[in-house]
Amino acid sequence: MRIKLALLAAASASAFAASSAYAQDVAATDPTAVEELVVTGTRTAGRSRLDTVSPVDVVDSKALTRQGSTELAQALSTLAPSLNFPRPSAVDGTDSVRPATLRGLAPDQTLVLLNGKRGHAAALVNINGAVGRGSAAFDLNTIPTAALDRVEILREGAAAQYGSDAIAGVVNLRLRQARSGGGATASYGLYDTEVKTARDTDGRKAHDGVTYTASIWQGFTLPKDGFLTVTGDWSKRNPTNRSDLSSAITPNKVTGRYGDAEVESKSIFANAGLPLGETWSLYGWAGYQKREGESAAFPRLASNANNIAAIYPQGFLPKITTDIDDYNFALGTKGEIGAYTVDASVTYGENDIDYGVKDSLNASYGPTSPTAFYAGSMKYRQAVASLDITRPLEIAAFAQPSTLAFGAEYRKESYEILAGETASWANGGYNNLAAGAQGFPGFRPSNEVDVSRDNYSLYVDLDSQVTDKLDVDVAARFEDYSDFGSTTTGKIAARYDFTDSFALRGAVSTGFRAPALQQQYFTATSTNIISGVATEVGTFPATSAVSQVLGAKALEPEESTNYSLGVVYRRGPLEVTLDAYQIDIDNRIVLSENIQGSATGTATQQAIYTLLQPYGVTTARFFINGVDTTTKGLDVVVRYRLDAEAAGRFDLTLAGNYNETEVTRLPTTNTLSSLPVPPTLFGRVNVLTFERGTPRTKFVASGDWSNGPWGATLKLTGYGTVLQPNATASLDYWTGRKAVIDLEARRTFGENLTWAVGANNLFDEYPNRTPAAVNSTSGVVGFPNYSPFGFNGRFLYTRVSYNW
C-alpha cells in the first residue's frame, strides 16, 4: 500500500500536465464543479472544502444513501478511508453500540458535533474484547442518515477550537434544512452468502440478516422564510450467524450465534429555523431514537458445569438484550450586534441503556432459577450552554480583514448505574455454582453510582489573511473541570497558495481528552468459581479502595501533540489533496488487565491476595493512565468530475489512508512494581490491538455515473491486513489483505420515483477464518472480531425512493 500511495501521488502529479488544457476549457462550464461550503474547522464564513486551512471531507446525503446500509457509521466507513467501523460480536452491549475509529485511534478520541454543537457520548463503556476497549464514545448510529444533509469530517486535531476529545479529528453531522418538499424511502435486503469456516471447509449457504428500512422527511414553511424539517426513520435488522462448528458435539454442529445482533430502531428528528427580524433568528432541533437489540453470549452446552439440566436438558444459548433511549435537544439564537455576530445556545443530550438477559439462568438458584432477568441500566446526560462571537478585525498591513472568534462554554455531565433485579446477580447457594445471570450478570446494589461534574471553557481564534497568498489561523482554549482541574491547548495552522491551483497547508496543535465519567466510575461485579470457591471479581473505579490499594490514582486527561503538512491541487474538474500527519498522545486512559491474587499461588499472587483480602475480592481491574503512543500517516484524495454529454456525468474518486501506531510507554503503579514479579497492567493483546487492530492501509476507488434517468455507483474498498492478537504469539492470526466491491444501479421514473438494486460485497469476500486451533471447542468465533469490514459476506438489496 505504501508503494500504491507513492505511485498514486506521482501519477496525480503527472496527470496535472496532461489534464491542464482540457481542465481550463471545462472549468468555466463544468456543471459538476460544486464548491461545498464548510463550517467545520473554520469560523470564517464562506470557506469551501478546498479553501480551508485544514483538511475537511464533505459527504453529502446522496452518497450516504446510495448504498445498502442505512447505518451512518457503516456508510461513512465505506466513503472515508481514514474512518473504520468494525462489526464486533459476542461482546455484550458493544454488539448494539458499535464504535467507529478515525485514524486508528480510540473511538472517544474523535469529537462528534451535531449542527456544530458538541454531541453526547453513549452510556456504554466498552470493556470487552473489541477494538476501542475502554472507550465511551458518541454512537453515530443514533442519527438516521435520512435526517442528514451532509457530514463534514475534519481530519486534524482541533481541541483548541472545540475542546476535549478532538484529538484524531472532528465529525460534524449537519441536519437537513428544508422549507418545502420531502421524500420517502423504503428498502429491503438480506445476506446471500456461502460460509466456510475452519471446521466446515465445505461451507454452508446462509440467507439471513433480513433488513427492512423505511424513512420519510418533509419540509414545512415557517413565517419570515423560516423552516421546519421533520424526519421519521424505522429499521429492522434480523441477526446473522457466522459461527464455526462445535467440536464438543458429535456430529459437529453450530451451537453459537456469532454475527450482527438483532436490532430494531425508531427515530424522529425535527430541525427548525425562524427569523426574528432583519439580523436575528431562532434555531433548534429535537431528536429521539428508540433502539432495541438482542445479541448472543457464548453457548452453554448440556455438559456445562453451570447448566441446570432440569431447565435446559440440551444446554442453552443466553441472549443479551439492550433497550436504548437516545435524546437530542437544542435551542439557540443567532444575530448581529454592531460588528459582532453572536450565537448563543443550550443543548441537551441523554443516552439510557437498559440491559436484560433471556434464555438464561442463575445456576446458583438451581432448578428454581428464572430464565429471564432485568440486569440493570446505565444513563449518561449532558447539558451545554455556549456563547460564540465573531467579528471582522482590521489589522494594519494584512491583505484582508481578519476573523476574530471568541466564546465560552459551560457543560454539565452526569452518569448513573442502577442495579438489576436480585436474581440477576445474587448467589442462591445451590451446589456452590456460579451466581448471576449466565451471559451477563446484572449490576449489583454495590455497583450503583450517581455522579456528575461540570466544566467551563474559554477560547479565542484569529484567522488572518496576512497576504493574498498566506492564511494563518491561531487558536487557544482554556478548560476547567470540577473533577481534575484545568488545561490549556493551542493551535497554529497556515496555508500558502502558490498559485490558484496549488497550495501548501500545515498545522501544529496540542490537544487533550478528559477522562469520561464512564471511565472514572464504571463498576461491575460478578461471582466466579475459582478452585471450587465462589469468588468476587470485578471492574472498579480508579478512586475506589480496591483500586487504590493496588496503586491506582484518579484519572488525568490524555494529552496530545498533532503535526500535519499537506498540499492541495485543483484545476478544473481535477482535485488532489495529500496530508501527512503525526499524533503523539501521552497518558492514554486504558482498562487494566485482570489482576488476580491467590492464597496458594506464586509469591506475587499471594502478595496481591493479601492486598485485596480486606476488600472481599481476589481479582480486580481498573482504568489507569500511562500508555503513550505515536501515530503517523498519510491521507490521499484524488477526485475527477467529467460531463461527457452523451455518455453522461462521471464523478470519480480515489482515496487512500496509510496509518501506523506505535506504543512507546506502558503503565505502572508504585504498589505493583514493588511486588516480587510485577503483573502486567497492559498486556500484549491490548498493545497489539492499539498497533495492529485497525488496517494500516485502506483505499477507496469509486465512480458515480448518471445519464438521464439512469445511474450507477461502483466502489472498490481495499483493506490492509489486521492482527487478531491472543495471549501468546503462536495463537495470533491475521484478517488478510482484502478488497470488497459494492455495486448499485438506479432508474428514475418520471421526475420523482427512483428504484435501485445493489450488492454490498458483490463477490462475497470474507476475512481469513479463525483457525480451529485457536477457537474453543464451542466454535463460536468463526471469523476475526477485528475485521474492518465485518464477516457477513454478500448483502443484496433493493430500494425505492419517492421525492416531491
Side-chain angles (χ1 to χ4, degrees):
M1 188 58 187
R2 295 189 193 204
I3 296 173
K4 290 181 180 178
L5 290 176
L7 290 175
L8 174 60
S12 302
S14 63
F16 297 161
S19 66
S20 293
Y22 174 79
Q24 291 178 22
D25 294 337
V26 173
T29 58
D30 178 21
T32 67
V34 178
E35 289 289 340
E36 300 109 324
L37 299 183
V38 300
V39 298
T40 309
T42 179
R43 289 186 167 89
T44 300
R47 288 277 173 86
S48 73
R49 174 175 50 82
L50 292 177
D51 289 331
T52 57
V53 178
S54 303
V56 179
D57 296 324
V58 179
V59 181
D60 64 20
S61 58
K62 288 184 178 180
L64 290 173
T65 55
R66 287 178 175 175
Q67 48 189 308
S69 176
T70 59
E71 289 183 292
L72 176 57
Q74 178 67 21
L76 288 175
S77 72
T78 65
L79 297 168
S82 56
L83 191 144
N84 285 287
F85 182 59
R87 305 175 73 87
S89 181
V91 283
D92 297 348
T94 309
D95 284 24
S96 298
V97 185
R98 294 180 293 193
T101 66
L102 185 65
R103 288 182 165 175
L105 297 180
D108 52 9
Q109 289 171 331
T110 298
L111 176 63
V112 178
L113 307 176
L114 186 58
N115 274 358
K117 308 297 182 181
R118 173 179 286 270
H120 65 275
L124 174 81
V125 58
N126 178 9
I127 62 169
N128 295 293
V131 172
R133 179 178 181 266
S135 63
F138 185 96
D139 182 3
L140 287 170
N141 289 333
T142 58
I143 312 298
T145 56
L148 294 173
D149 174 67
R150 68 186 187 276
V151 178
E152 297 175 0
I153 304 174
L154 171 64
R155 292 180 276 112
E156 191 170 84
Q161 295 165 293
Y162 297 105
S164 176
D165 306 345
I167 289 178
V170 177
V171 176
N172 190 4
L173 311 177
R174 306 289 298 178
L175 295 173
R176 190 188 298 271
Q177 299 181 9
R179 302 182 67 245
S180 61
T185 300
S187 69
Y188 169 85
L190 81 164
Y191 287 98
D192 175 38
T193 182
E194 185 175 7
V195 184
K196 293 183 178 181
T197 56
R199 296 184 182 133
D200 186 11
T201 55
D202 292 335
R204 64 182 189 268
K205 295 288 186 180
H207 302 277
D208 57 9
V210 174
T211 303
Y212 308 88
T213 70
S215 64
I216 185 170
W217 68 270
Q218 175 65 53
F220 299 94
T221 300
L222 297 183
K224 301 179 181 180
D225 294 328
F227 72 91
L228 170 64
T229 309
V230 179
T231 304
D233 183 89
W234 170 81
S235 68
K236 168 71 173 177
R237 185 186 70 210
N238 289 296
T240 61
N241 191 0
R242 303 294 178 263
S243 287
D244 200 351
L245 303 177
S246 171
S247 61
I249 295 177
T250 304
N252 295 353
K253 67 176 183 179
V254 173
T255 60
R257 197 180 90 187
Y258 180 72
D260 282 354
E262 180 179 352
V263 176
E264 181 177 11
S265 67
K266 303 169 186 176
S267 308
I268 184 167
F269 268 78
N271 187 32
L274 178 65
L276 298 178
E278 294 295 326
T279 61
W280 283 86
S281 62
L282 280 175
Y283 64 86
W285 59 87
Y288 171 70
Q289 183 184 83
K290 179 74 167 182
R291 188 195 308 170
E292 297 174 325
E294 179 187 289
S295 60
F298 275 59
R300 272 62 170 174
L301 303 181
S303 59
N304 188 287
N306 291 308
N307 179 44
I308 303 298
I311 302 177
Y312 296 112
Q314 304 300 320
F316 61 101
L317 181 66
K319 311 294 195 318
I320 302 169
T321 64
T322 52
D323 191 343
I324 303 173
D325 294 285
D326 192 85
Y327 306 85
N328 286 281
F329 300 100
L331 180 64
T333 183
K334 180 184 291 187
E336 297 178 3
I337 302 177
Y340 296 88
T341 299
V342 179
D343 183 347
S345 66
V346 176
T347 63
Y348 176 81
E350 180 176 337
N351 186 262
D352 303 338
I353 305 177
D354 289 336
Y355 287 103
V357 188
K358 68 178 189 179
D359 299 336
S360 181
L361 54 75
N362 182 333
S364 70
Y365 275 44
T368 63
S369 172
T371 58
F373 308 86
Y374 168 66
S377 65
M378 298 187 294
K379 303 178 185 295
Y380 175 80
R381 303 176 182 89
Q382 173 185 277
V384 181
S386 61
L387 176 66
D388 301 291
I389 302 172
T390 60
R391 64 154 295 167
L393 186 65
E394 296 283 352
I395 299 179
F398 281 10
Q400 298 178 21
S402 301
T403 299
L404 174 66
F406 56 95
E409 181 182 278
Y410 172 79
R411 184 162 81 251
K412 181 79 171 182
E413 302 172 85
S414 64
Y415 177 61
E416 188 176 3
I417 297 177
L418 298 176
E421 64 177 287
T422 301
S424 72
W425 54 265
N427 190 333
Y430 180 82
N431 286 352
N432 206 27
L433 296 180
Q438 289 289 304
F440 189 93
F443 293 114
R444 301 172 173 223
S446 60
N447 300 140
E448 290 192 328
V449 298
D450 188 357
V451 293
S452 63
R453 73 174 176 196
D454 52 21
N455 97 298
Y456 68 85
S457 60
L458 304 170
Y459 76 88
V460 62
D461 190 335
L462 182 64
D463 192 335
S464 300
Q465 192 71 46
V466 180
T467 70
D468 290 336
K469 297 181 179 295
L470 178 62
D471 185 2
V472 178
D473 188 3
V474 180
R477 190 180 188 98
F478 171 81
E479 302 243 1
D480 185 83
Y481 284 77
S482 60
D483 52 354
F484 69 80
S486 61
T487 185
T488 302
T489 55
K491 178 177 181 177
I492 180 168
R495 173 186 173 118
Y496 191 87
D497 287 86
F498 291 89
T499 68
D500 291 341
S501 299
F502 179 76
L504 182 69
R505 63 189 179 191
V508 178
S509 65
T510 59
F512 81 105
R513 190 185 71 80
L517 289 177
Q518 296 92 315
Q519 293 172 319
Q520 294 187 79
Y521 296 103
F522 177 81
T523 174
T525 307
S526 59
T527 300
N528 293 348
I529 304 301
I530 301 177
S531 301
V533 179
T535 307
E536 281 197 338
V537 299
T539 304
F540 298 94
T543 54
S544 71
V546 173
S547 301
Q548 296 215 337
V549 77
L550 294 173
K553 299 178 181 178
L555 296 179
E556 300 175 351
E558 302 174 345
E559 298 178 347
S560 68
T561 304
N562 293 50
Y563 311 89
S564 67
L565 182 65
V567 297
V568 179
Y569 182 89
R570 57 183 170 182
R571 184 174 289 273
L574 176 66
E575 304 171 1
V576 181
T577 63
L578 297 93
D579 293 279
Y581 56 88
Q582 178 171 318
I583 308 169
D584 297 328
I585 308 177
D586 295 337
N587 232 17
R588 289 182 67 163
I589 300 169
V590 298
L591 182 61
S592 76
E593 307 291 338
N594 289 337
I595 302 170
Q596 184 171 340
S598 171
T600 58
T602 65
T604 294
Q605 290 175 328
Q606 290 182 45
I608 294 173
Y609 180 86
T610 301
L611 287 172
L612 296 179
Q613 191 175 24
Y615 305 97
V617 297
T618 61
T619 302
R621 61 181 180 179
F622 49 88
F623 283 91
I624 187 173
N625 290 101
V627 173
D628 294 352
T629 61
T630 295
T631 299
K632 300 177 181 179
L634 174 69
D635 291 322
V636 181
V637 181
V638 180
R639 185 179 181 187
Y640 192 85
R641 291 162 296 186
L642 173 66
D643 189 348
E645 298 183 356
R649 292 184 179 181
F650 297 86
D651 191 342
L652 309 175
T653 302
L654 178 60
N657 170 256
Y658 175 79
N659 190 85
E660 183 175 347
T661 293
E662 179 185 2
V663 174
T664 58
R665 183 172 73 96
L666 295 176
T668 60
T669 72
N670 291 334
T671 300
L672 294 177
S673 299
S674 65
L675 295 176
V677 180
T680 300
L681 284 177
F682 197 68
R684 75 178 306 271
V685 171
N686 289 306
V687 169
L688 290 172
T689 295
F690 270 26
E691 295 184 335
R692 299 309 307 264
T694 57
R696 284 188 174 177
T697 56
K698 179 183 173 184
F699 70 89
V700 179
S702 65
D704 194 81
W705 167 77
S706 61
N707 190 3
W710 295 94
T713 300
L714 176 64
K715 181 166 49 188
L716 182 149
T717 307
Y719 299 91
T721 188
V722 170
L723 177 67
Q724 187 81 42
N726 282 278
T728 59
S730 62
L731 299 178
D732 291 347
Y733 59 102
W734 297 83
T735 63
R737 295 180 176 89
K738 304 293 179 178
V740 175
I741 294 177
D742 302 334
L743 176 63
E744 176 179 295
R746 298 177 294 275
R747 174 67 160 90
T748 299
F749 300 89
E751 297 182 356
N752 306 102
L753 181 66
T754 300
W755 176 44
V757 294
N760 290 349
N761 194 355
L762 178 65
F763 295 106
D764 204 20
E765 190 69 62
Y766 273 85
N768 294 345
R769 310 161 192 170
T770 300
V774 175
N775 218 338
S776 67
T777 58
S778 66
V780 173
V781 185
F783 298 92
N785 226 352
Y786 289 7
S787 171
F789 63 95
F791 44 81
N792 282 314
R794 177 175 47 236
F795 184 75
L796 305 177
Y797 65 91
T798 184
R799 184 179 65 249
V800 177
S801 303
Y802 186 81
N803 297 313
W804 56 85

